[in-house]
């Protein structure tokens, strides 16, 4: 198999991250593998995590939960945002034994009606909006609805949770406010006869920074990827990288324009490599910075100016940086290779957020496979279909 571009996921590193996280927490981990496991491949990553001892999963949509069940996941699966006005999604909650988050009284009523018709109660988790303003019951809404919720015999309340909006902060601050709001509402629910056994609130950042948020379970998602660590006691390793084969190597004369709009012109004879990757693959794509406050806008402008004078190292060959020249195109990018011995077919590493990586880009799994065997490189389509060995030329090097 000789791919032109792929996302490489090191299951050995993922295993190390799982062990580091499980060793740190005294409570169970719920693995949040929404959006195709943050771009790494939900089925491969989910099955691997389950085999590493993770026994609870969460996704955003019913379709994501159904995919995991069809792919072999046996552990409980929470769905954060079911669309309750879609009859097919309602049926799939029962068909695939999914646990829906109940975020309003209307949602609870719809679920209960379906449970009564099916003559089959369903486990649910209540979502409380403790101060993020996105989804869930506010304290007032939930306490007002408490008596009615108790009357809905088709629902079995197994969990209650919230989500922190500002766990990025250095000190708990607003996170502490949300935590107290959440615990106060849960305590009042218990006083009114609605006791729920599983209480949780911590996402990756909160769980790693603020132990007071751990409660009965922590929800870990992005931390599995190992992009960075905010807790020195939990050493995490980046588990992915994007790899691309060089399409063409050229020698451009001094004064040559490169790319659309003639924004770049060579100052000397330049050896350049053309890479078959661009915006359509997710290369150069970034999440929009929402600047609702003037301070945020100024901070964004500062980083833009800083990146202009000191661009991020987005492409490298054998650890040596390659400068992107000219505008990145839809499917092609040009880099200055200087005197490096780069030739067509060689593999370069490209900085690309897997969340933005095209779904058409193959995910290749290296390191420790699900069965515990080392593999040279296994495509996502094969790793859990009984195929354990598939060599991918040039993809077996371990990451630095």
């Amino acid at each position: 198999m000789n791919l032109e571009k792929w996302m490489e996921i090191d299951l050995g590193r993922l295993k190390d991250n799982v062990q580091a996280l499980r060793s740190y927490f005294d409570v169970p981990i719920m693995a949040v593998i929404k959006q195709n496991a943050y771009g790494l491949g939900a089925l491969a990553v989910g099955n691997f995590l389950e085999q590493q001892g993770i026994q609870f999963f969460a996704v955003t949509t019913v379709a994501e939960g159904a995919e995991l069940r069809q792919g072999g996941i046996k552990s409980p699966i929470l769905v954060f945002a079911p669309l309750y006005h879609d009859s097919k999604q309602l049926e799939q909650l029962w068909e695939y034994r999914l646990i829906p988050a109940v975020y309003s009284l209307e949602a609870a009523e719809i679920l209960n009606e379906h449970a009564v018709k099916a003559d089959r109660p369903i486990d649910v988790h209540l979502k409380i909006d403790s101060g993020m303003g996105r989804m869930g019951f506010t304290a007032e809404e939930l306490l007002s609805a408490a008596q009615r919720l108790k009357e809905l015999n088709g629902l079995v309340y197994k969990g209650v949770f919230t989500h922190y909006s500002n766990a990025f902060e250095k000190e708990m601050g607003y996170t502490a406010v949300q935590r107290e709001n959440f615990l106060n509402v849960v305590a009042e629910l218990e006083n009114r006869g609605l006791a729920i056994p599983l209480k949780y609130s911590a996402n990756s950042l909160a769980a790693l920074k603020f132990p007071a948020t751990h409660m009965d379970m922590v929800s870990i998602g992005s931390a599995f990827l190992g992009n960075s660590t905010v807790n020195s006691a939990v050493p995490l390793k980046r588990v992915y990288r994007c790899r691309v084969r060089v399409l063409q190597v050229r020698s451009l004369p001094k004064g040559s324009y490169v790319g659309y709009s003639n924004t770049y012109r060579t100052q000397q004879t330049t050896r350049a490599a053309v890479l078959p990757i661009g915006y359509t693959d997710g290369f150069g794509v970034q999440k929009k910075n929402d600047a609702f406050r003037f301070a945020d806008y100024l901070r964004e402008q500062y980083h833009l100016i800083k990146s202009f004078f000191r661009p991020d190292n987005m492409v490298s060959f054998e650890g040596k940086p390659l400068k992107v020249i000219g505008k990145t195109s839809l499917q092609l990018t040009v880099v200055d290779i200087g005197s490096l011995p780069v030739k067509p077919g060689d593999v370069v590493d490209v900085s690309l957020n897997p969340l933005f990586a095209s779904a058409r880009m193959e995910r290749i799994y290296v390191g420790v496979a699900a069965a515990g065997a080392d593999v040279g490189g296994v495509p996502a389509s094969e790793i859990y279909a009984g195929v354990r060995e598939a060599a991918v030329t040039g993809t077996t090097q371990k990451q630095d």
Side-chain angles (χ1 to χ4, degrees), residues 210-378:
F210 310 128
T213 65
H214 291 180
M215 302 181 190
D216 299 323
M217 183 169 67
V218 292
S219 306
I220 302 300
S222 59
F224 284 124
L225 278 65
N227 286 332
S228 61
T229 184
V230 294
N231 187 332
S232 59
V234 190
L236 301 175
K237 305 172 182 178
R238 178 171 290 190
V239 305
Y240 65 90
R241 60 179 173 179
C242 179
R243 316 211 73 194
V244 181
R245 293 191 186 280
V246 174
L247 188 65
Q248 181 184 12
V249 173
R250 307 184 61 202
S251 180
L252 300 175
K254 177 181 179 179
S256 297
Y257 288 112
V258 180
Y260 286 118
S261 304
N262 294 347
T263 58
Y264 185 88
R265 195 173 191 180
T266 58
Q267 301 301 306
Q268 58 190 4
T269 300
T270 301
R271 293 184 68 243
V274 183
L275 310 179
I277 193 168
Y279 291 124
T280 191
D281 303 297
F283 179 61
V285 176
Q286 295 180 336
K287 184 178 71 172
K288 180 181 182 294
N289 289 318
D290 298 310
F292 293 105
R293 299 173 298 187
F294 186 63
D296 296 328
Y297 174 78
L298 291 178
R299 188 178 298 109
E300 180 181 351
Q301 299 309 305
Y302 166 76
H303 286 295
L304 285 172
I305 294 172
K306 182 179 177 182
S307 65
F308 178 82
F309 288 103
R310 292 198 313 178
D312 293 334
N313 178 21
M314 300 184 71
V315 183
S316 63
F317 174 69
E318 297 180 346
K320 300 178 178 62
L322 305 178
K323 179 183 178 182
V324 175
I325 56 178
K327 287 187 175 183
T328 294
S329 305
L330 192 66
Q331 294 176 292
L332 298 172
T333 296
V334 181
V335 293
D336 184 341
I337 60 175
S339 60
L340 294 175
V342 179
K343 61 184 182 301
D346 281 348
V347 177
V348 299
D349 292 307
V350 172
S351 177
L352 192 154
N353 186 332
L355 267 176
F356 303 139
S358 168
R360 295 184 178 183
M361 185 180 294
E362 186 73 80
R363 271 63 173 173
I364 299 294
Y365 300 89
V366 301
V368 182
D374 279 340
V375 293
V378 180

Side-chain angles (χ1 to χ4, degrees), residues 105 109 137-151 185 188-189 192 194:
L105 180 56
E109 297 273 15
F137 289 92
T138 64
E140 295 75 14
E141 290 169 342
L142 185 54
L143 296 179
S144 176
Q147 183 57 42
R148 178 56 184 154
L149 290 173
K150 289 170 57 180
E151 296 169 356
V185 176
E188 184 58 31
L189 280 180
R192 300 188 184 196
L194 190 57

Side-chain angles (χ1 to χ4, degrees), residues 39-51:
L40 300 187
L43 293 184
V45 170
N47 275 282
F48 186 76
L49 291 178
E50 191 170 51
Q51 293 187 17

